[in-house]
């Protein structure tokens, strides 16, 4: 971030400097006292299980924080505010508004947000300095901290927007008002929190409702293949640009093929022209992600040739998302364990089946339970178990103490259940892998299966 004085931050955050020189310069921001760097402003947030960042303020100052954004006196240099989280958002909003050359791109969806965000950022970097969300840092804490990384030289700010309920995305759009907004899909992720797909669509559509009008340059990028997303065109004043594989769209792909590594090639078609694309990321489900990125890039002023070259060069940036490791013994490990819902798990299974066919080896799926699916959980686990059987996956191990058994039972009599990550790790350590085998590790992040994938890849 560009250096600011405590006085400037206090003005933007609606606070008062206390026990500090108002001209003290802040060069960074942190909300974890263990990760404070000299020059940071430490934001004292309330966390889970009763944790309160105010209790860690003294250690943050000892680690180099020049002050604390706080809601109560702490006997350390501080900016006093009513609520540190709200103040952080206000500071970020003022920061973004002060950068007159900054173009803000926001995206949301039930699945594929992080992979698509990484593609968008890498494409837009070809057209100018770009700051983007790291990993899935997409909530009311991560989004403002990402925004504060933008400087006067930044041309594009790409932010992923997550939601756990109604109004969450609307709040995030107030912090970083987007000119371009993309909605990828409405699926089963977090259905239990939202109350079903229609309510999920209502929440995701808050993004397009926040866009400026077409006359003001607003652009809504919508998935033509998803009926709930396509219907959001009626909820926005912005110009609508569609992308799709299955249905007619403004940005689309033809001649899609997969190579031996499961990477898609296709011809990209846009209103400004066509271009060949050969993706470096794995899975046919990355094609609509790439098309969304292409539509955003065109809205930002890039032409088809530029976009095609940039997509061809783009790599997987975030951990735990279709990260493929070829071990020296010929075993392939696919780590897609950052998170899981029915749609992303189905896509990962299809990629696993393709890789297995290419290598003429066995396909092994280690699938953790999919969380936050609400009333549809059992049915979605049955669907995934049945898909694994139809795809001919050779070995399926379901991990968890809930609907894991439903998944394994639907797969068939050979489906195996391991109740815990530790038990699944023991099973992996005993399994006799052979050259040509392909192992997919996939599950909700809370299960921590990514650790097993990393260990398996390094074995």
């Amino acid at each position: 971030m560009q250096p600011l004085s405590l006085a400037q931050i206090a003005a933007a955050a609606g606070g008062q400097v206390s026990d500090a020189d108002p001209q003290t310069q802040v060069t960074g921001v942190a909300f974890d006292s263990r990760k404070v760097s000299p020059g940071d402003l430490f934001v004292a947030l309330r966390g889970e299980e009763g944790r309160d960042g105010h209790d860690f303020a003294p250690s943050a100052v000892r680690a180099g924080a020049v002050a604390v954004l706080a809601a109560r006196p702490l006997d350390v240099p501080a900016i006093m505010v009513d609520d540190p989280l709200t103040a952080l958002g206000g500071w970020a909003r003022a920061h973004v508004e002060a950068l007159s050359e900054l173009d803000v791109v926001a995206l949301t969806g039930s699945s594929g947000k992080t992979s698509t965000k990484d593609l968008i950022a890498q494409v837009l970097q070809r057209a100018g300095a770009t700051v983007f969300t790291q990993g899935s840092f997409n909530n009311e804490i991560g989004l403002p901290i990402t925004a504060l990384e933008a400087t006067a030289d930044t041309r594009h700010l790409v932010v992923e927007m997550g939601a756990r309920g109604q109004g969450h995305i609307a709040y995030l759009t107030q912090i970083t008002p987007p000119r371009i907004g993309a909605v990828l899909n409405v699926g089963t992720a977090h259905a239990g929190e939202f109350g079903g797909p229609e309510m999920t669509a209502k929440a995701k559509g808050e993004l397009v409702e926040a866009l400026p009008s077409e006359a003001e340059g607003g652009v809504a990028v919508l998935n033509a293949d998803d009926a709930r997303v396509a219907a959001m065109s009626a909820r926005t004043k912005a110009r609508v640009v569609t992308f799709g594989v299955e249905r007619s769209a403004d940005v689309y792909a033809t001649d899609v093929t997969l190579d031996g590594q499961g990477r898609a090639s296709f011809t990209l078609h846009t209103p400004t022209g066509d271009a060949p694309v050969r993706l470096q990321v794995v899975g046919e489900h990355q094609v609509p992600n790439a098309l969304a990125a292409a539509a955003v890039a065109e809205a930002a002023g890039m032409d088809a040739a530029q976009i095609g070259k940039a997509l061809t060069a783009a790599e997987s940036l975030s951990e735990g998302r279709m990260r493929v490791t070829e071990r020296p013994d010929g075993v392939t490990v696919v780590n897609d364990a950052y998170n899981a819902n029915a749609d992303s798990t189905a896509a990962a299974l299809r990629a696993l089946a393709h890789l297995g066919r290419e290598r003429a080896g066995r396909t092994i799926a280690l699938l953790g339970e999919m969380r936050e699916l609400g009333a549809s959980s059992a049915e979605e686990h049955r669907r995934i178990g049945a898909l694994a059987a139809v795809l001919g996956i050779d070995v399926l191990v379901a991990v968890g103490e809930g609907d894991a058994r439903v998944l394994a039972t639907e797969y068939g009599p050979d489906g195996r259940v391991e109740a815990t990550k530790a038990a699944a790790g023991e099973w992996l350590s005993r399994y006799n892998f052979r050259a040509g085998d392909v192992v997919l590790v996939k599950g909700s992040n809370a299960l921590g299966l990514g650790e097993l994938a990393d260990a398996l890849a390094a074995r």
Side-chain angles (χ1 to χ4, degrees):
M1 59 172 283
Q2 49 191 34
L4 292 171
S5 69
L6 290 177
Q8 289 173 306
I9 295 172
Q16 296 290 328
V17 178
S18 173
D19 297 323
D21 179 356
Q23 298 310 310
T24 300
Q25 295 292 295
V26 173
T27 56
V29 59
F31 62 92
D32 186 334
S33 61
R34 298 165 298 183
K35 299 180 180 180
V36 167
S37 298
D40 280 355
L41 177 67
F42 176 67
V43 184
L45 300 173
R46 288 183 172 83
E48 298 176 351
E49 300 177 357
R51 295 189 184 92
D52 188 340
H54 292 81
D55 298 335
F56 300 94
S59 61
V61 172
R62 288 194 296 272
V66 297
V68 178
L69 191 63
R72 55 182 168 86
L74 297 167
D75 294 325
V76 297
I79 297 175
M80 301 301 300
V81 296
D82 291 335
D83 176 59
L85 182 59
T86 302
L88 176 65
W91 172 22
R93 170 68 183 251
H95 179 70
V96 167
E97 289 180 337
L99 300 176
S100 59
E101 299 300 315
L102 188 66
D103 201 13
V104 179
V105 176
L107 73 155
T108 192
S110 293
S111 60
K113 293 187 296 295
T114 300
S115 296
T116 305
K117 173 264 302 176
D118 289 347
L119 292 175
I120 291 171
Q122 291 178 84
V123 173
L124 291 181
Q125 281 175 335
R126 299 292 186 99
T130 301
V131 168
F132 58 100
T133 305
Q134 298 301 304
S136 292
F137 211 27
N138 61 14
N139 61 10
E140 63 274 20
I141 301 171
L143 184 135
I145 288 178
T146 299
L148 290 170
E149 294 177 4
T151 69
D153 296 326
T154 306
R155 292 296 167 263
H156 309 288
L157 174 63
V158 181
V159 289
E160 178 182 331
M161 292 185 173
R164 302 177 304 281
Q166 306 301 323
H168 290 184
I169 290 176
Y171 173 72
L172 296 178
T173 62
Q174 293 172 14
I175 298 173
T176 54
R179 182 181 73 85
I180 303 170
V183 183
L184 306 182
N185 46 54
V186 173
T188 58
H190 308 295
E193 293 180 336
F194 287 108
E198 295 302 330
M199 295 304 292
T200 302
K202 181 179 178 182
K204 300 297 184 185
E206 292 169 5
L207 173 54
V208 300
E209 291 176 344
L211 296 172
S213 68
E214 180 173 3
E216 297 170 307
V219 182
V221 174
L222 302 178
N223 185 354
D225 293 336
D226 188 315
R228 291 187 178 91
V229 175
M232 293 178 190
S233 61
R235 297 171 59 182
T236 185
K237 301 171 294 190
R239 175 170 69 92
V240 173
V241 175
T242 59
F243 67 93
V245 176
E246 300 173 1
R247 292 176 175 81
S248 176
D250 300 313
V251 177
Y252 63 99
T254 59
D255 306 319
V256 178
T257 60
L258 296 180
D259 67 10
Q261 302 299 316
R263 300 171 301 194
S265 295
F266 58 91
T267 300
L268 170 68
H269 303 274
T270 79
T272 61
D274 306 336
V277 174
R278 182 175 181 178
L279 295 177
Q280 303 303 310
V281 290
V282 175
E284 190 171 1
H285 62 285
Q286 299 285 4
V287 174
N289 295 344
L291 294 176
V296 166
E298 185 172 65
M302 297 178 68
D303 63 35
Q306 291 175 307
I307 296 168
K309 291 178 181 177
L311 283 173
T312 297
E315 301 174 339
S316 176
L317 300 181
S318 299
E319 292 297 325
R321 293 169 177 85
M322 296 303 292
R323 184 64 59 90
V324 177
T325 301
E326 304 275 359
R327 295 194 335 193
D329 62 357
V331 175
T332 300
V333 180
V334 183
N335 182 353
D336 197 35
Y338 184 82
N339 219 331
N341 58 60
D343 297 328
S344 65
T345 302
L349 283 173
R350 292 188 179 96
L352 171 64
H354 176 82
L355 291 171
R357 288 193 298 271
E358 291 293 325
R359 286 157 177 71
R362 295 173 299 177
T363 50
I364 299 103
L366 186 73
L367 303 181
E369 287 177 337
M370 301 174 290
R371 304 287 175 83
E372 301 171 346
L373 298 182
S376 65
S377 181
E379 179 58 34
E380 294 296 347
H381 282 83
R382 275 192 288 270
R383 180 161 75 91
I384 291 303
L387 177 64
V390 169
L391 291 172
I393 302 304
D394 295 301
V395 179
L396 185 141
V397 180
V399 183
E401 298 179 332
D403 285 328
R405 188 164 300 280
V406 174
L407 195 161
T409 300
E410 192 67 27
Y411 168 76
D414 294 330
R416 185 180 183 90
V417 178
E418 299 291 350
T420 65
K421 178 179 73 173
E426 290 179 7
W427 181 87
L428 284 172
S429 69
R430 297 191 306 268
Y431 191 76
N432 183 28
F433 291 103
R434 302 193 300 253
D437 286 350
V438 186
V439 190
L440 167 69
V441 182
K442 176 78 172 170
S444 288
N445 194 36
L447 292 169
L449 299 186
E451 297 175 14
L452 299 184
D454 290 338
L456 187 63
R459 189 182 302 172

